[in-house]
Amino acid sequence: DSGPLYELAWDVTKYATGQHKLSVRALDQNDRTKLFEQQFTLDPSEAEQVDNFLPNFVLRSSFSTLFHVLFLLTLLCNLCTALSLKGLYFCAQTGRLSPKHLTILRSCAKFCLFRKLFLVCSYNKIFLPLLCFVGYMAVGPWVVGSLIEGHSGAVFAWGVLVNNQLVHSQVPFGYYFIHFAFIHPVIVLVIGHVLDCRNCVLTSSLKSSKVAHVSFLGGLLFVLFVSIYFSITFWLQFGIIGFVLGPLKTWSYIFYAAMFWLAWTVPRDHCQVFNSLFNQQDYEKKTDDVEDILNVNKENNEKGLNGESLQNLL
């Protein structure tokens, strides 16, 4: 049950020497045919020697292991990056960072990409759905539809389920790697850029340059083109049912659109809280104001005046 879908027994002793050609003709349920031919030899002395590094690497590598490693690294990278930034924001918000570390964090927040990722992780209405989306695509079904010879099934990151039988495949691991290593990070950065723009509008912060707008728009259009291309391949492979019931490609457009809408409608209060934590100038201004109040109170005490307390002045 766990073996290949198609197999044919043959006597290898009849082909021990010489060059041979293997021909396979595929026929589907719509009477469409395609012929595949491959020359081979079982005699190492007659085989063509391949000395190039890349062909040797391809032939001697285990693509099953490679795709598994890429899938695991992509999943861990997405989860660890998001959770680490969320942890830093929580520590800064609750005052658990030392002044030195908070200063370093504020310096890092001045960098464009870092600030946009921080904005995404600071807003729970966007951060939590994005985190759940990454996790769901690692374990949940991507496509439900007609898969093999009219049989219905579901595609997961870890294999294909057809007629209650698991068919091991490396293709889903590759799809996951492409989407969450290239497409998803770019979309998250664009969402962060939208949050950054709204932050500038709502709080009169430093605005992004036109170059940044064009760069992020170009990146979004490129990954959208790539995603649409893969959506068409899903449609051709799994039919209309697979296209409609496809969380990875079809539903992801609705999901990402909702995230953009949430970013565009971010409340002013959230932007003000974020700026109070990561805007060094605001922090220094508040510190100077407190120092001025302390100096005034000290002068009044020296003159013997019954001035107001620091608390009333604040």
Side-chain angles (χ1 to χ4, degrees):
D1 293 339
S2 60
L5 293 176
Y6 305 98
E7 60 181 9
L8 178 66
W10 61 305
D11 187 1
V12 296
T13 59
K14 297 180 179 179
Y15 308 93
T17 59
Q19 296 282 339
H20 309 282
K21 180 188 294 185
L22 178 65
S23 301
V24 177
R25 186 181 300 275
L27 175 67
D28 64 8
Q29 57 185 3
N30 295 324
D31 294 332
R32 293 177 299 186
T33 62
K34 191 169 185 179
L35 180 65
F36 299 89
E37 295 183 342
Q38 176 65 50
Q39 290 186 342
F40 71 96
T41 179
L42 299 180
D43 187 357
S45 62
E46 298 181 4
E48 181 180 353
Q49 298 297 323
V50 179
D51 297 327
N52 294 331
F53 171 77
L54 183 59
N56 274 316
F57 175 78
V58 171
L59 292 174
R60 298 182 182 184
S61 299
S62 172
F63 279 90
S64 175
T65 303
L66 176 63
F67 283 129
H68 290 177
V69 172
L70 290 177
F71 165 76
L72 185 60
L73 289 178
T74 305
L75 176 62
L76 291 177
C77 183
N78 278 273
L79 294 179
C80 292
T81 301
L83 294 175
S84 298
L85 292 177
K86 185 64 175 179
L88 287 174
Y89 179 79
F90 175 78
C91 292
Q93 191 177 27
T94 56
R96 302 189 181 190
L97 290 179
S98 64
K100 178 182 178 181
H101 292 153
L102 188 58
T103 302
I104 296 175
L105 193 61
R106 287 195 177 105
S107 299
C108 293
K110 295 179 181 179
F111 294 98
C112 177
L113 298 181
F114 199 75
R115 184 177 66 255
K116 297 180 192 307
L117 289 177
F118 252 118
L119 278 166
V120 172
C121 294
S122 68
Y123 195 30
N124 285 334
K125 288 185 178 180
I126 294 179
F127 170 76
L128 294 178
L130 287 174
L131 192 66
C132 293
F133 181 68
V134 174
Y136 170 79
M137 288 304 167
V139 296
W142 298 355
V143 173
V144 177
S146 178
L147 302 183
I148 301 175
E149 295 184 347
H151 296 291
S152 297
V155 178
F156 297 82
W158 34 267
V160 181
L161 192 64
V162 182
N163 287 345
N164 295 325
Q165 293 185 358
L166 181 63
V167 179
H168 296 283
S169 175
Q170 312 311 321
V171 176
F173 289 104
Y175 271 114
Y176 187 93
F177 169 70
I178 292 174
H179 187 88
F180 287 99
F182 300 101
I183 298 177
H184 182 75
V186 173
I187 294 179
V188 170
L189 284 174
V190 177
I191 293 173
H193 182 67
V194 174
L195 282 171
D196 201 15
C197 293
R198 292 299 296 168
N199 181 40
C200 296
V201 172
L202 296 174
T203 62
S204 300
S205 302
L206 182 63
K207 295 183 179 180
S208 301
S209 64
K210 293 183 179 180
V211 176
H213 292 312
V214 173
S215 300
F216 282 101
L217 179 60
L220 178 62
L221 293 177
F222 175 75
V223 298
L224 185 61
F225 172 79
V226 175
S227 185
I228 291 175
Y229 170 78
F230 282 111
S231 298
I232 295 175
T233 62
F234 266 57
W235 191 349
L236 296 176
Q237 291 178 6
F238 307 119
I240 187 64
I241 298 179
F243 179 76
V244 174
L245 301 179
L248 177 65
K249 288 303 173 186
T250 309
W251 296 1
S252 62
Y253 297 116
I254 302 174
F255 172 77
Y256 287 130
M259 295 299 101
F260 279 111
W261 181 80
L262 288 173
W264 188 253
T265 57
V266 59
R268 182 189 299 269
D269 294 343
H270 177 79
C271 296
Q272 291 175 342
V273 171
F274 181 86
N275 287 336
S276 67
L277 291 174
F278 294 99
N279 193 321
Q280 183 68 23
Q281 294 180 351
D282 291 347
Y283 173 76
E284 292 175 351
K285 182 178 181 302
K286 292 179 181 179
T287 303
D288 293 339
D289 292 342
V290 173
E291 290 179 352
D292 292 341
I293 294 173
L294 290 173
N295 292 332
V296 170
N297 192 60
K298 182 179 180 181
E299 292 176 359
N300 290 336
N301 290 334
E302 290 176 352
K303 294 179 180 180
L305 299 177
N306 295 324
E308 294 178 324
S309 66
L310 176 61
Q311 181 177 0
N312 292 331
L313 286 175
L314 291 171

